[in-house]
Amino acid sequence: MRNTMLWTIAVLSLAATHSAYAGDCTAAHKLFETGKQAGQRQQWAEARRALEKSVAECNRFDNWYLLGQTQLQLEDYNAASASFEDARRFAQSNDEKALAGARYAQVMAQQGKIDEPLAILHQARKAHTHPPAWMTELAMSLDKKRVNQPVTVAQLTRALTSRSVTLISPNAKPSVNITINFKYNSTEVTENSTANIDVLAEALAGDALYKGPVQLTGHTDARGETQYNKTLSEQRAQTIAAALIARKPELKSRLHIAGKGASEPLYPGESEDIFALNRRIEVTLE
């Protein structure tokens, strides 16, 4: 039911995207409408047949995007990934590229992945003029899952090398948010966060990542004064940099720090869960 709702929302969004069709895409538009109506009836196999014919007739973002949505409903993940990649290729705006990238991330999320789709979703939300609610809800659900799961070197490496981030925006820099908890009003890391620092050090020093500059950006939640939060976030980023260098001295010349305070929250809201997600260290490969 959840995915069906998202498919319906996608249809409504696409209906407002383009009102004019090139002459050679007239037949494709009729097939698109047939596929859309079949999807609204949850007749996914029929929708897929019509939309596959539609993309064969005309390479338009809408055709590929809705085909990907249908394949996702049918749990044909390889086909859905390919369709969303094609949707991105034929996108006419940054918003469309962001939508295609976010749906590509959704495919990975439904296959049980967390860190790589999260990296893509956060970039998609930055690139989209007005990120739709489903994009934020999906990112938040993955972030909440990640809090309760150990991070691995392989996961961080995949997130920091995902080419899908640059497909959304060619100038995008790969980044990942690491959950590292500090004692209240302090720069001292809690004991249960030391494992994530160990993993981050291994990933950044590993052979799979580009050996260039790394930005560590501290973020706080919205509580507290603006300047105090900015200073605290910088100090926390410095604490993590020192901890990483202690584990891997070769990282010393590569690490740069910054503090954003509460100016760039991941999610809106004032619950304890949201505050916890917004308190983070963002790692960016420069």
PDB file of all heavy atoms in Angstrom, residues 4-39:
ATOM      1  N   THR A   4       2.269   1.809  -3.416  1.00  0.00           N
ATOM      2  CA  THR A   4       1.191   2.211  -4.309  1.00  0.00           C
ATOM      3  C   THR A   4       0.894   3.686  -4.138  1.00  0.00           C
ATOM      4  O   THR A   4       0.670   4.418  -5.112  1.00  0.00           O
ATOM      5  CB  THR A   4      -0.077   1.384  -4.014  1.00  0.00           C
ATOM      6  OG1 THR A   4       0.232  -0.001  -4.182  1.00  0.00           O
ATOM      7  CG2 THR A   4      -1.198   1.777  -4.956  1.00  0.00           C
ATOM      8  N   MET A   5       0.905   4.169  -2.902  1.00  0.00           N
ATOM      9  CA  MET A   5       0.662   5.584  -2.641  1.00  0.00           C
ATOM     10  C   MET A   5       1.741   6.438  -3.290  1.00  0.00           C
ATOM     11  O   MET A   5       1.454   7.472  -3.895  1.00  0.00           O
ATOM     12  CB  MET A   5       0.623   5.834  -1.139  1.00  0.00           C
ATOM     13  CG  MET A   5       0.270   7.271  -0.760  1.00  0.00           C
ATOM     14  SD  MET A   5       0.298   7.512   1.034  1.00  0.00           S
ATOM     15  CE  MET A   5      -0.983   6.344   1.533  1.00  0.00           C
ATOM     16  N   LEU A   6       3.013   5.990  -3.177  1.00  0.00           N
ATOM     17  CA  LEU A   6       4.096   6.740  -3.777  1.00  0.00           C
ATOM     18  C   LEU A   6       3.970   6.761  -5.294  1.00  0.00           C
ATOM     19  O   LEU A   6       4.269   7.763  -5.942  1.00  0.00           O
ATOM     20  CB  LEU A   6       5.450   6.132  -3.375  1.00  0.00           C
ATOM     21  CG  LEU A   6       5.828   6.263  -1.900  1.00  0.00           C
ATOM     22  CD1 LEU A   6       7.177   5.609  -1.652  1.00  0.00           C
ATOM     23  CD2 LEU A   6       5.868   7.714  -1.470  1.00  0.00           C
ATOM     24  N   TRP A   7       3.505   5.656  -5.887  1.00  0.00           N
ATOM     25  CA  TRP A   7       3.303   5.602  -7.337  1.00  0.00           C
ATOM     26  C   TRP A   7       2.236   6.604  -7.747  1.00  0.00           C
ATOM     27  O   TRP A   7       2.381   7.329  -8.718  1.00  0.00           O
ATOM     28  CB  TRP A   7       2.882   4.174  -7.738  1.00  0.00           C
ATOM     29  CG  TRP A   7       2.952   3.909  -9.215  1.00  0.00           C
ATOM     30  CD1 TRP A   7       3.999   3.369  -9.896  1.00  0.00           C
ATOM     31  CD2 TRP A   7       1.934   4.160 -10.184  1.00  0.00           C
ATOM     32  NE1 TRP A   7       3.697   3.277 -11.232  1.00  0.00           N
ATOM     33  CE2 TRP A   7       2.428   3.753 -11.431  1.00  0.00           C
ATOM     34  CE3 TRP A   7       0.651   4.694 -10.129  1.00  0.00           C
ATOM     35  CZ2 TRP A   7       1.697   3.842 -12.611  1.00  0.00           C
ATOM     36  CZ3 TRP A   7      -0.085   4.788 -11.301  1.00  0.00           C
ATOM     37  CH2 TRP A   7       0.426   4.371 -12.516  1.00  0.00           C
ATOM     38  N   THR A   8       1.160   6.677  -6.980  1.00  0.00           N
ATOM     39  CA  THR A   8       0.079   7.616  -7.272  1.00  0.00           C
ATOM     40  C   THR A   8       0.572   9.054  -7.186  1.00  0.00           C
ATOM     41  O   THR A   8       0.249   9.894  -8.031  1.00  0.00           O
ATOM     42  CB  THR A   8      -1.092   7.415  -6.293  1.00  0.00           C
ATOM     43  OG1 THR A   8      -1.540   6.065  -6.396  1.00  0.00           O
ATOM     44  CG2 THR A   8      -2.242   8.351  -6.621  1.00  0.00           C
ATOM     45  N   ILE A   9       1.369   9.360  -6.156  1.00  0.00           N
ATOM     46  CA  ILE A   9       1.930  10.700  -6.006  1.00  0.00           C
ATOM     47  C   ILE A   9       2.810  11.035  -7.201  1.00  0.00           C
ATOM     48  O   ILE A   9       2.790  12.146  -7.720  1.00  0.00           O
ATOM     49  CB  ILE A   9       2.727  10.812  -4.698  1.00  0.00           C
ATOM     50  CG1 ILE A   9       1.772  10.717  -3.502  1.00  0.00           C
ATOM     51  CG2 ILE A   9       3.509  12.115  -4.641  1.00  0.00           C
ATOM     52  CD1 ILE A   9       2.468  10.593  -2.175  1.00  0.00           C
ATOM     53  N   ALA A  10       3.582  10.038  -7.662  1.00  0.00           N
ATOM     54  CA  ALA A  10       4.449  10.264  -8.819  1.00  0.00           C
ATOM     55  C   ALA A  10       3.627  10.595 -10.049  1.00  0.00           C
ATOM     56  O   ALA A  10       3.979  11.466 -10.843  1.00  0.00           O
ATOM     57  CB  ALA A  10       5.312   9.024  -9.085  1.00  0.00           C
ATOM     58  N   VAL A  11       2.499   9.913 -10.239  1.00  0.00           N
ATOM     59  CA  VAL A  11       1.632  10.173 -11.379  1.00  0.00           C
ATOM     60  C   VAL A  11       1.112  11.602 -11.339  1.00  0.00           C
ATOM     61  O   VAL A  11       1.113  12.320 -12.333  1.00  0.00           O
ATOM     62  CB  VAL A  11       0.451   9.181 -11.393  1.00  0.00           C
ATOM     63  CG1 VAL A  11      -0.590   9.615 -12.421  1.00  0.00           C
ATOM     64  CG2 VAL A  11       0.943   7.780 -11.737  1.00  0.00           C
ATOM     65  N   LEU A  12       0.679  12.036 -10.172  1.00  0.00           N
ATOM     66  CA  LEU A  12       0.152  13.394 -10.027  1.00  0.00           C
ATOM     67  C   LEU A  12       1.240  14.426 -10.319  1.00  0.00           C
ATOM     68  O   LEU A  12       0.978  15.456 -10.935  1.00  0.00           O
ATOM     69  CB  LEU A  12      -0.399  13.595  -8.614  1.00  0.00           C
ATOM     70  CG  LEU A  12      -1.636  12.757  -8.270  1.00  0.00           C
ATOM     71  CD1 LEU A  12      -1.992  12.943  -6.805  1.00  0.00           C
ATOM     72  CD2 LEU A  12      -2.826  13.134  -9.157  1.00  0.00           C
ATOM     73  N   SER A  13       2.468  14.144  -9.875  1.00  0.00           N
ATOM     74  CA  SER A  13       3.569  15.068 -10.116  1.00  0.00           C
ATOM     75  C   SER A  13       3.910  15.129 -11.596  1.00  0.00           C
ATOM     76  O   SER A  13       4.141  16.201 -12.153  1.00  0.00           O
ATOM     77  CB  SER A  13       4.812  14.636  -9.325  1.00  0.00           C
ATOM     78  OG  SER A  13       4.534  14.648  -7.940  1.00  0.00           O
ATOM     79  N   LEU A  14       3.923  13.970 -12.246  1.00  0.00           N
ATOM     80  CA  LEU A  14       4.267  13.933 -13.657  1.00  0.00           C
ATOM     81  C   LEU A  14       3.220  14.620 -14.510  1.00  0.00           C
ATOM     82  O   LEU A  14       3.528  15.216 -15.539  1.00  0.00           O
ATOM     83  CB  LEU A  14       4.419  12.474 -14.121  1.00  0.00           C
ATOM     84  CG  LEU A  14       5.625  11.724 -13.537  1.00  0.00           C
ATOM     85  CD1 LEU A  14       5.570  10.261 -13.937  1.00  0.00           C
ATOM     86  CD2 LEU A  14       6.922  12.342 -14.017  1.00  0.00           C
ATOM     87  N   ALA A  15       1.977  14.548 -14.078  1.00  0.00           N
ATOM     88  CA  ALA A  15       0.910  15.170 -14.852  1.00  0.00           C
ATOM     89  C   ALA A  15       1.129  16.668 -14.994  1.00  0.00           C
ATOM     90  O   ALA A  15       0.714  17.285 -15.972  1.00  0.00           O
ATOM     91  CB  ALA A  15      -0.438  14.911 -14.191  1.00  0.00           C
ATOM     92  N   ALA A  16       1.815  17.267 -14.009  1.00  0.00           N
ATOM     93  CA  ALA A  16       2.062  18.700 -14.040  1.00  0.00           C
ATOM     94  C   ALA A  16       3.416  19.062 -14.642  1.00  0.00           C
ATOM     95  O   ALA A  16       3.738  20.226 -14.809  1.00  0.00           O
ATOM     96  CB  ALA A  16       1.982  19.266 -12.624  1.00  0.00           C
ATOM     97  N   THR A  17       4.198  18.043 -14.995  1.00  0.00           N
ATOM     98  CA  THR A  17       5.562  18.308 -15.442  1.00  0.00           C
ATOM     99  C   THR A  17       5.618  18.831 -16.867  1.00  0.00           C
ATOM    100  O   THR A  17       6.299  19.792 -17.171  1.00  0.00           O
ATOM    101  CB  THR A  17       6.412  17.024 -15.337  1.00  0.00           C
ATOM    102  OG1 THR A  17       6.370  16.569 -13.999  1.00  0.00           O
ATOM    103  CG2 THR A  17       7.851  17.291 -15.739  1.00  0.00           C
ATOM    104  N   HIS A  18       4.903  18.162 -17.784  1.00  0.00           N
ATOM    105  CA  HIS A  18       4.944  18.539 -19.189  1.00  0.00           C
ATOM    106  C   HIS A  18       3.526  18.586 -19.746  1.00  0.00           C
ATOM    107  O   HIS A  18       2.748  17.661 -19.554  1.00  0.00           O
ATOM    108  CB  HIS A  18       5.753  17.529 -20.002  1.00  0.00           C
ATOM    109  CG  HIS A  18       7.186  17.412 -19.555  1.00  0.00           C
ATOM    110  ND1 HIS A  18       8.099  18.420 -19.698  1.00  0.00           N
ATOM    111  CD2 HIS A  18       7.846  16.394 -18.960  1.00  0.00           C
ATOM    112  CE1 HIS A  18       9.269  18.031 -19.222  1.00  0.00           C
ATOM    113  NE2 HIS A  18       9.136  16.805 -18.761  1.00  0.00           N
ATOM    114  N   SER A  19       3.209  19.644 -20.462  1.00  0.00           N
ATOM    115  CA  SER A  19       1.899  19.740 -21.087  1.00  0.00           C
ATOM    116  C   SER A  19       1.985  19.641 -22.596  1.00  0.00           C
ATOM    117  O   SER A  19       0.971  19.483 -23.278  1.00  0.00           O
ATOM    118  CB  SER A  19       1.225  21.069 -20.702  1.00  0.00           C
ATOM    119  OG  SER A  19       2.051  22.150 -21.091  1.00  0.00           O
ATOM    120  N   ALA A  20       3.187  19.740 -23.151  1.00  0.00           N
ATOM    121  CA  ALA A  20       3.353  19.673 -24.594  1.00  0.00           C
ATOM    122  C   ALA A  20       4.193  18.460 -24.971  1.00  0.00           C
ATOM    123  O   ALA A  20       5.124  18.098 -24.272  1.00  0.00           O
ATOM    124  CB  ALA A  20       4.039  20.950 -25.099  1.00  0.00           C
ATOM    125  N   TYR A  21       3.859  17.828 -26.106  1.00  0.00           N
ATOM    126  CA  TYR A  21       4.554  16.629 -26.552  1.00  0.00           C
ATOM    127  C   TYR A  21       4.959  16.810 -28.013  1.00  0.00           C
ATOM    128  O   TYR A  21       4.185  17.322 -28.826  1.00  0.00           O
ATOM    129  CB  TYR A  21       3.652  15.393 -26.424  1.00  0.00           C
ATOM    130  CG  TYR A  21       3.284  15.095 -25.001  1.00  0.00           C
ATOM    131  CD1 TYR A  21       2.202  15.730 -24.397  1.00  0.00           C
ATOM    132  CD2 TYR A  21       4.051  14.228 -24.233  1.00  0.00           C
ATOM    133  CE1 TYR A  21       1.879  15.480 -23.075  1.00  0.00           C
ATOM    134  CE2 TYR A  21       3.734  13.974 -22.908  1.00  0.00           C
ATOM    135  CZ  TYR A  21       2.648  14.601 -22.340  1.00  0.00           C
ATOM    136  OH  TYR A  21       2.330  14.362 -21.028  1.00  0.00           O
ATOM    137  N   ALA A  22       6.150  16.386 -28.340  1.00  0.00           N
ATOM    138  CA  ALA A  22       6.602  16.449 -29.722  1.00  0.00           C
ATOM    139  C   ALA A  22       5.739  15.530 -30.581  1.00  0.00           C
ATOM    140  O   ALA A  22       5.197  14.535 -30.105  1.00  0.00           O
ATOM    141  CB  ALA A  22       8.073  16.027 -29.792  1.00  0.00           C
ATOM    142  N   GLY A  23       5.646  15.884 -31.866  1.00  0.00           N
ATOM    143  CA  GLY A  23       4.772  15.119 -32.749  1.00  0.00           C
ATOM    144  C   GLY A  23       5.093  13.647 -32.791  1.00  0.00           C
ATOM    145  O   GLY A  23       4.195  12.804 -32.823  1.00  0.00           O
ATOM    146  N   ASP A  24       6.393  13.282 -32.815  1.00  0.00           N
ATOM    147  CA  ASP A  24       6.769  11.877 -32.891  1.00  0.00           C
ATOM    148  C   ASP A  24       6.579  11.155 -31.563  1.00  0.00           C
ATOM    149  O   ASP A  24       6.844   9.960 -31.460  1.00  0.00           O
ATOM    150  CB  ASP A  24       8.210  11.723 -33.382  1.00  0.00           C
ATOM    151  CG  ASP A  24       9.215  12.417 -32.476  1.00  0.00           C
ATOM    152  OD1 ASP A  24       8.781  13.083 -31.516  1.00  0.00           O
ATOM    153  OD2 ASP A  24      10.419  12.296 -32.726  1.00  0.00           O
ATOM    154  N   CYS A  25       6.133  11.869 -30.536  1.00  0.00           N
ATOM    155  CA  CYS A  25       5.893  11.250 -29.239  1.00  0.00           C
ATOM    156  C   CYS A  25       4.400  11.123 -28.939  1.00  0.00           C
ATOM    157  O   CYS A  25       4.028  10.757 -27.820  1.00  0.00           O
ATOM    158  CB  CYS A  25       6.569  12.055 -28.132  1.00  0.00           C
ATOM    159  SG  CYS A  25       8.374  11.854 -28.072  1.00  0.00           S
ATOM    160  N   THR A  26       3.557  11.412 -29.947  1.00  0.00           N
ATOM    161  CA  THR A  26       2.116  11.352 -29.726  1.00  0.00           C
ATOM    162  C   THR A  26       1.669   9.936 -29.351  1.00  0.00           C
ATOM    163  O   THR A  26       0.927   9.737 -28.381  1.00  0.00           O
ATOM    164  CB  THR A  26       1.350  11.827 -30.970  1.00  0.00           C
ATOM    165  OG1 THR A  26       1.739  13.172 -31.265  1.00  0.00           O
ATOM    166  CG2 THR A  26      -0.157  11.778 -30.727  1.00  0.00           C
ATOM    167  N   ALA A  27       2.141   8.955 -30.121  1.00  0.00           N
ATOM    168  CA  ALA A  27       1.772   7.564 -29.836  1.00  0.00           C
ATOM    169  C   ALA A  27       2.295   7.142 -28.468  1.00  0.00           C
ATOM    170  O   ALA A  27       1.614   6.427 -27.715  1.00  0.00           O
ATOM    171  CB  ALA A  27       2.316   6.646 -30.927  1.00  0.00           C
ATOM    172  N   ALA A  28       3.511   7.604 -28.136  1.00  0.00           N
ATOM    173  CA  ALA A  28       4.101   7.253 -26.841  1.00  0.00           C
ATOM    174  C   ALA A  28       3.271   7.838 -25.699  1.00  0.00           C
ATOM    175  O   ALA A  28       3.117   7.206 -24.653  1.00  0.00           O
ATOM    176  CB  ALA A  28       5.534   7.766 -26.772  1.00  0.00           C
ATOM    177  N   HIS A  29       2.723   9.037 -25.911  1.00  0.00           N
ATOM    178  CA  HIS A  29       1.913   9.645 -24.860  1.00  0.00           C
ATOM    179  C   HIS A  29       0.637   8.850 -24.618  1.00  0.00           C
ATOM    180  O   HIS A  29       0.201   8.689 -23.467  1.00  0.00           O
ATOM    181  CB  HIS A  29       1.575  11.089 -25.227  1.00  0.00           C
ATOM    182  CG  HIS A  29       0.723  11.781 -24.207  1.00  0.00           C
ATOM    183  ND1 HIS A  29       1.022  11.764 -22.859  1.00  0.00           N
ATOM    184  CD2 HIS A  29      -0.436  12.486 -24.327  1.00  0.00           C
ATOM    185  CE1 HIS A  29       0.102  12.443 -22.190  1.00  0.00           C
ATOM    186  NE2 HIS A  29      -0.804  12.885 -23.069  1.00  0.00           N
ATOM    187  N   LYS A  30       0.039   8.347 -25.671  1.00  0.00           N
ATOM    188  CA  LYS A  30      -1.167   7.526 -25.513  1.00  0.00           C
ATOM    189  C   LYS A  30      -0.844   6.261 -24.717  1.00  0.00           C
ATOM    190  O   LYS A  30      -1.605   5.849 -23.844  1.00  0.00           O
ATOM    191  CB  LYS A  30      -1.740   7.173 -26.879  1.00  0.00           C
ATOM    192  CG  LYS A  30      -2.333   8.362 -27.630  1.00  0.00           C
ATOM    193  CD  LYS A  30      -2.882   7.945 -28.982  1.00  0.00           C
ATOM    194  CE  LYS A  30      -3.478   9.151 -29.723  1.00  0.00           C
ATOM    195  NZ  LYS A  30      -3.991   8.782 -31.057  1.00  0.00           N
ATOM    196  N   LEU A  31       0.300   5.660 -25.018  1.00  0.00           N
ATOM    197  CA  LEU A  31       0.723   4.467 -24.291  1.00  0.00           C
ATOM    198  C   LEU A  31       1.038   4.818 -22.833  1.00  0.00           C
ATOM    199  O   LEU A  31       0.753   4.044 -21.918  1.00  0.00           O
ATOM    200  CB  LEU A  31       1.946   3.854 -24.958  1.00  0.00           C
ATOM    201  CG  LEU A  31       1.690   3.187 -26.316  1.00  0.00           C
ATOM    202  CD1 LEU A  31       2.994   2.981 -27.070  1.00  0.00           C
ATOM    203  CD2 LEU A  31       0.980   1.843 -26.112  1.00  0.00           C
ATOM    204  N   PHE A  32       1.636   5.994 -22.635  1.00  0.00           N
ATOM    205  CA  PHE A  32       1.921   6.467 -21.286  1.00  0.00           C
ATOM    206  C   PHE A  32       0.626   6.584 -20.481  1.00  0.00           C
ATOM    207  O   PHE A  32       0.548   6.139 -19.329  1.00  0.00           O
ATOM    208  CB  PHE A  32       2.628   7.825 -21.358  1.00  0.00           C
ATOM    209  CG  PHE A  32       2.817   8.508 -20.030  1.00  0.00           C
ATOM    210  CD1 PHE A  32       3.915   8.225 -19.234  1.00  0.00           C
ATOM    211  CD2 PHE A  32       1.893   9.437 -19.570  1.00  0.00           C
ATOM    212  CE1 PHE A  32       4.103   8.862 -18.009  1.00  0.00           C
ATOM    213  CE2 PHE A  32       2.062  10.079 -18.342  1.00  0.00           C
ATOM    214  CZ  PHE A  32       3.171   9.786 -17.568  1.00  0.00           C
ATOM    215  N   GLU A  33      -0.405   7.171 -21.078  1.00  0.00           N
ATOM    216  CA  GLU A  33      -1.685   7.325 -20.397  1.00  0.00           C
ATOM    217  C   GLU A  33      -2.313   5.966 -20.092  1.00  0.00           C
ATOM    218  O   GLU A  33      -2.893   5.758 -19.019  1.00  0.00           O
ATOM    219  CB  GLU A  33      -2.637   8.168 -21.250  1.00  0.00           C
ATOM    220  CG  GLU A  33      -2.272   9.646 -21.305  1.00  0.00           C
ATOM    221  CD  GLU A  33      -2.375  10.314 -19.942  1.00  0.00           C
ATOM    222  OE1 GLU A  33      -3.270   9.944 -19.160  1.00  0.00           O
ATOM    223  OE2 GLU A  33      -1.548  11.205 -19.657  1.00  0.00           O
ATOM    224  N   THR A  34      -2.173   5.028 -21.032  1.00  0.00           N
ATOM    225  CA  THR A  34      -2.685   3.667 -20.800  1.00  0.00           C
ATOM    226  C   THR A  34      -1.973   3.021 -19.617  1.00  0.00           C
ATOM    227  O   THR A  34      -2.594   2.410 -18.742  1.00  0.00           O
ATOM    228  CB  THR A  34      -2.494   2.794 -22.059  1.00  0.00           C
ATOM    229  OG1 THR A  34      -3.232   3.363 -23.140  1.00  0.00           O
ATOM    230  CG2 THR A  34      -2.965   1.365 -21.812  1.00  0.00           C
ATOM    231  N   GLY A  35      -0.649   3.168 -19.588  1.00  0.00           N
ATOM    232  CA  GLY A  35       0.126   2.610 -18.478  1.00  0.00           C
ATOM    233  C   GLY A  35      -0.203   3.273 -17.164  1.00  0.00           C
ATOM    234  O   GLY A  35      -0.315   2.608 -16.125  1.00  0.00           O
ATOM    235  N   LYS A  36      -0.393   4.593 -17.179  1.00  0.00           N
ATOM    236  CA  LYS A  36      -0.733   5.319 -15.958  1.00  0.00           C
ATOM    237  C   LYS A  36      -2.068   4.845 -15.397  1.00  0.00           C
ATOM    238  O   LYS A  36      -2.213   4.596 -14.188  1.00  0.00           O
ATOM    239  CB  LYS A  36      -0.784   6.819 -16.250  1.00  0.00           C
ATOM    240  CG  LYS A  36      -1.115   7.675 -15.036  1.00  0.00           C
ATOM    241  CD  LYS A  36      -1.036   9.157 -15.344  1.00  0.00           C
ATOM    242  CE  LYS A  36      -2.188   9.607 -16.226  1.00  0.00           C
ATOM    243  NZ  LYS A  36      -2.182  11.094 -16.397  1.00  0.00           N
ATOM    244  N   GLN A  37      -3.054   4.704 -16.274  1.00  0.00           N
ATOM    245  CA  GLN A  37      -4.378   4.264 -15.831  1.00  0.00           C
ATOM    246  C   GLN A  37      -4.349   2.838 -15.296  1.00  0.00           C
ATOM    247  O   GLN A  37      -5.009   2.519 -14.299  1.00  0.00           O
ATOM    248  CB  GLN A  37      -5.374   4.396 -16.983  1.00  0.00           C
ATOM    249  CG  GLN A  37      -5.664   5.846 -17.360  1.00  0.00           C
ATOM    250  CD  GLN A  37      -6.324   5.995 -18.707  1.00  0.00           C
ATOM    251  OE1 GLN A  37      -6.803   5.009 -19.287  1.00  0.00           O
ATOM    252  NE2 GLN A  37      -6.364   7.216 -19.231  1.00  0.00           N
ATOM    253  N   ALA A  38      -3.553   1.965 -15.946  1.00  0.00           N
ATOM    254  CA  ALA A  38      -3.421   0.589 -15.451  1.00  0.00           C
ATOM    255  C   ALA A  38      -2.773   0.576 -14.076  1.00  0.00           C
ATOM    256  O   ALA A  38      -3.170  -0.188 -13.183  1.00  0.00           O
ATOM    257  CB  ALA A  38      -2.609  -0.249 -16.444  1.00  0.00           C
ATOM    258  N   GLY A  39      -1.798   1.439 -13.866  1.00  0.00           N
ATOM    259  CA  GLY A  39      -1.151   1.522 -12.564  1.00  0.00           C
ATOM    260  C   GLY A  39      -2.104   2.018 -11.489  1.00  0.00           C
ATOM    261  O   GLY A  39      -2.071   1.540 -10.356  1.00  0.00           O
TER     262      GLY A  39
END
